[in-house]
Amino acid sequence: MNGNRGKSDFAARSKASERAFLLVSDSDEDEDEEMGLPPARPCSHHNSRTKPDNQLSKVKEDIVTVTKTMQNNMNKVLDRGSKLEDLQDKTEDLDMSAFKFVRGSRKLQRKMWWQNMKLKLLFGFIFLALLVVLIVSLVIKHKKS
């Protein structure tokens, strides 16, 4: 029951991790290499380029932070789901155990009731036998006199 779910959870986590890695490790240099362009060199005579670069690096940092936060949240959700499944399994086991306990206790209750009834019947027969013996002995004594 949990085996298939565990495999799908693992697959989902690996896909999420792979996506996050691609987002984090994605850079313009890789795209430039794929397109056959030479690597970009920083230009010292263009100061206007540094401000957009700072903004771009700030945005990339924000993306990395958000990606990590989302990964943590997804992992927490998956862990919560597996904990809920474990709790549900334990609840079902407890329910089954409670059912077996109730059935066993009723069976034991009936057994003890019959044992008690047998004991009462035994004492009743012993009492009757003593009463019969007493009455017979009194009757025999009374006839002799």
Side-chain angles (χ1 to χ4, degrees):
M1 188 188 295
N2 287 339
N4 292 337
R5 178 98 176 170
K7 290 178 184 175
S8 65
D9 288 345
F10 178 74
R13 286 181 186 172
S14 353
K15 287 181 182 178
S17 297
E18 183 179 354
R19 286 185 194 131
F21 177 75
L22 290 175
L23 282 174
V24 171
S25 65
D26 193 18
S27 69
D28 293 335
E29 293 173 4
D30 293 339
E31 291 173 359
D32 290 345
E33 286 178 13
E34 288 176 7
M35 294 173 60
L37 298 174
R41 293 184 209 154
C43 297
S44 58
H45 61 282
H46 288 293
N47 274 345
S48 64
R49 178 100 173 133
T50 58
K51 188 172 183 179
D53 283 345
N54 287 339
Q55 288 176 347
L56 183 61
S57 64
K58 172 80 170 122
V59 169
K60 283 186 178 183
E61 287 175 13
D62 289 345
I63 289 174
V64 168
T65 304
V66 168
T67 303
K68 286 180 182 179
T69 303
M70 289 302 293
Q71 280 180 330
N72 288 336
N73 290 343
M74 288 174 58
N75 288 335
K76 287 178 183 177
V77 166
L78 291 174
D79 289 341
R80 181 178 177 261
S82 65
K83 287 179 183 178
L84 285 175
E85 282 181 6
D86 291 343
L87 184 62
Q88 185 176 5
D89 291 342
K90 288 178 183 178
T91 302
E92 289 171 0
D93 291 343
L94 185 61
D95 186 42
M96 184 61 72
S97 297
F99 176 74
K100 288 179 182 179
F101 175 78
V102 168
R103 188 175 59 196
S105 65
R106 284 185 186 152
K107 188 176 180 180
L108 181 63
Q109 183 182 17
R110 285 188 205 111
K111 181 181 176 182
M112 295 306 293
W113 184 85
W114 273 113
Q115 188 176 3
N116 191 22
M117 188 57 68
K118 288 176 187 177
L119 192 62
K120 286 180 182 179
L121 288 172
L122 179 67
F123 285 137
F125 284 129
I126 290 173
F127 177 75
L128 276 174
L130 288 174
L131 190 61
V132 167
V133 169
L134 184 65
I135 291 175
V136 169
S137 68
L138 284 176
V139 168
I140 291 176
K141 256 188 181 183
H142 208 3
K143 282 189 179 182
K144 282 187 180 180
S145 38

